[in-house]
Amino acid sequence: MPPDGWTAADLDRLSLDGPYGELDALKRIELIDGDLIVMSPQTEFHRRVVERLRDELARQAPGELTATREMDVVLGERQRPCPDVSVVSAVAAADLDRTYYLPADVVLVVEVVSKSSEIRDRETKPRRYAEAGIRHFWRIENDGGRPVAYVYELDPATRTYLLSGIFHEQLKVPVPFPVDLLLTALSG
């Protein structure tokens, strides 16, 4: 580990064996506050919700936007989280060699909360996304196998997220673009 911690640029220079010699480790790493976080294996609930939400957002997004999953966003020198789902500029997504997006490319980030990452998904990462100016953040929680969506919008004066709604069955919002989806279909 570098003496002052890892930087976002370091992740593009790591060997394919990972920072500590683990095979395939780079598929499951993010950088938060200079620390490499090796993510735990995901549950089937998490996988289904991420995959289906990404597909549904990609389908509903206007042509200038697209949805992606598990793609890093460089928020600063020591911040390179990997949101579960992001809605990004289609122009930025057209660059097939990129390994990350910048906050200016991103209109929405979504975290699907896991037991192993509750504090990061509920507190640390949203704070960092807001500080970077990403306008929309959604948090999806598992309520007995049913997804519940917590929808936030950035207050530009305070650079913090404000809760704009909690959705249990159907998520219908006008921003960042009109979205209407059945939450129960994401995990079923």
Side-chain angles (χ1 to χ4, degrees), residues 21 23 26 42 58 64 71 76 110-111 139 143-144 148 156 167 173-174:
L23 293 176
L26 289 180
Q42 63 185 335
E64 69 272 11
M71 186 72 169
V110 182
E111 295 292 350
R139 190 182 79 240
D143 183 17
V148 175
F167 300 86
V173 294

Side-chain angles (χ1 to χ4, degrees), residues 1-186:
M1 177 169 154
D4 293 328
W6 297 91
T7 67
D10 290 335
L11 268 63
D12 285 330
R13 294 190 294 266
L14 290 175
S15 92
L16 294 178
D17 291 334
Y20 307 112
E22 314 86 4
L23 293 176
D24 254 356
L26 289 180
K27 292 181 182 177
R28 307 283 306 156
I29 287 181
E30 61 186 341
L31 179 69
I32 307 291
D33 297 329
D35 292 327
L36 288 182
I37 307 296
V38 178
M39 296 177 272
S40 299
Q42 63 185 335
T43 64
E44 183 61 20
F45 173 89
H46 189 277
R47 186 200 64 77
R48 283 185 194 183
V49 170
V50 167
E51 185 174 279
R52 292 172 181 174
L53 180 61
R54 197 238 28 117
D55 291 349
E56 194 59 31
L57 288 172
R59 187 182 70 74
Q60 294 187 30
E64 69 272 11
L65 299 173
T66 191
T68 188
R69 61 178 286 181
E70 299 167 348
M71 186 72 169
D72 294 357
V73 180
V74 173
L75 305 177
E77 183 183 17
R78 297 168 42 88
Q79 308 295 334
R80 188 170 168 165
C82 183
D84 291 316
V85 177
S86 303
V87 175
V88 301
S89 153
V91 171
D95 177 0
L96 299 180
D97 291 327
R98 75 169 45 243
T99 59
Y100 60 85
Y101 292 104
L102 296 172
D105 302 322
V106 182
V107 298
L108 167 68
V109 288
V110 182
E111 295 292 350
V112 179
V113 177
S114 299
K115 287 281 185 207
S116 63
S117 63
E118 284 177 341
I119 292 174
R120 284 191 310 275
D121 291 345
R122 291 176 177 164
E123 298 175 21
T124 309
K125 290 168 76 173
R127 189 175 328 114
R128 298 295 181 251
Y129 296 142
E131 290 167 351
I134 297 173
R135 291 193 56 200
H136 301 276
F137 170 72
W138 297 355
R139 190 182 79 240
I140 309 291
E141 298 273 352
N142 181 347
D143 183 17
R146 297 171 62 95
V148 175
Y150 295 79
V151 173
Y152 298 85
E153 190 165 346
L154 184 67
D155 175 348
T158 62
R159 302 247 329 162
T160 58
Y161 287 123
L162 301 175
L163 182 66
S164 58
I166 302 172
F167 300 86
H168 294 269
E169 298 290 327
Q170 183 175 10
L171 173 59
K172 187 172 184 175
V173 294
V175 291
F177 54 89
V179 175
D180 188 357
L181 61 91
L182 189 61
L183 286 168
T184 54
L186 298 179

